[in-house]
Amino acid sequence: MVDFAQLATFQAVIDTGSFEAAARELHVTPSAVSQRIKALERSVGQVLVRRAKPCVATPAGEALVRFAGQVALLEREALAQARDGTRVSIVVNADSLHTWFLPALAAVPGPQYELHTDDEHYTADLLRSGTAMAAVTADEEVVQGCRIERLGSMRYLACGKNTQAVILYDRKDRLQHRIWPDKSDTPVHYVPSASAFIEAIRLGLGWGVVPEWIAREDIAAGRYEDLGRHLDVPLYWQYWRIGSAVLEELTAAVKAAAAPYLKS
């Protein structure tokens, strides 16, 4: 059986990055923190914390990071009426955040939300590490301890006025190379903002892939051209399988918000 004081101490070390900062947060001595971590590691038979600057969870410790977060979420839900509500951390790709995702949060207004953004092919990594409780992801492999719901596919159109350069969101962004591999050697601009990315295409800085519902409006208005290529990216909603009422309600809201924008 897990000692919850040890588990909370482990979570504090990972969250703050050091034994000393965790001691200050928990109002105990660094020696007490060290003793609790060692006791927890003995009980599971694995090294859980990589003693570095900052301290990080080992692969064995990542499962406990998720578990500690799940315990904390259920505790906050139980005490929500007496405190200031439940905090839910979510990772979502920039295009979903820019288009359909925020109405889902507005439909479930009780929790406090902490959003993270990453490429849709990498968002599940934050679930695995325990940083996020839920994710919009292109990864159909179910993360251990999570449920998965298929949301549909986001269609992207290749668009632009200028095909002599390509615009990428960041160095993880590979959509443009997938939709038009013949132009993989084209000079690249990196624009890590969903709205600025689209504005750069409108201004003729280069070509890029744009979510269909935004692209159709811009093409009709003559802001840029449809370059005749498209790509459908399946998206999934993965979330902790812990019987959380908030996550269940949010899941229903996410599916409803995604439906008008994603292809079945």
Side-chain angles (χ1 to χ4, degrees), residues 15-196:
D15 286 347
T16 63
S18 75
F19 282 47
E20 293 76 12
R24 289 193 296 271
E25 181 174 292
L26 298 172
H27 306 291
V28 298
T29 65
S31 176
V33 169
S34 180
Q35 290 172 12
R36 291 178 187 178
I37 297 300
K38 289 178 181 177
L40 183 60
E41 289 177 330
R42 282 196 301 269
S43 70
V44 300
Q46 296 277 356
V47 175
L48 302 174
V49 178
R50 186 175 294 118
R51 275 72 164 174
K53 293 185 178 180
C55 291
V56 295
T58 64
E62 288 181 354
L64 275 185
V65 173
R66 290 194 299 272
F67 179 62
Q70 291 166 359
V71 170
L73 175 61
L74 293 175
E75 180 183 26
R76 286 195 297 269
E77 285 190 2
L79 299 174
Q81 291 183 347
R83 296 184 179 176
D84 58 356
T86 300
R87 181 175 297 278
V88 178
S89 59
I90 304 168
V91 58
V92 56
N93 61 307
D95 288 327
S96 293
L97 184 61
H98 184 57
T99 52
W100 62 266
F101 188 74
L102 286 177
L105 303 188
V108 187
Q112 300 172 50
Y113 292 108
E114 180 178 0
L115 299 183
H116 307 266
T117 59
D118 206 340
D119 183 274
E120 60 270 9
H121 291 90
Y122 295 85
T123 49
D125 291 345
L126 273 72
L127 274 178
R128 294 186 180 95
S129 70
T131 301
M133 303 171 183
V136 176
T137 177
D139 190 348
E140 62 181 328
E141 181 181 350
V142 183
V143 174
Q144 185 177 7
C146 291
R147 289 194 177 96
I148 189 168
E149 304 270 358
R150 190 179 189 280
L151 298 175
S153 295
M154 179 171 280
R155 173 161 291 185
Y156 291 89
L157 304 184
C159 301
K161 301 176 182 178
N162 167 21
T163 60
Q164 301 309 304
V166 62
I167 301 173
L168 302 182
Y169 186 83
D170 58 23
R171 294 183 183 273
K172 294 179 179 178
D173 186 359
R174 304 300 298 172
L175 291 181
Q176 285 78 349
H177 297 94
R178 291 172 60 195
I179 201 170
W180 206 340
D182 294 346
K183 284 192 170 291
S184 59
D185 295 331
T186 304
V188 175
H189 303 295
Y190 295 100
V191 184
S193 160
S195 57

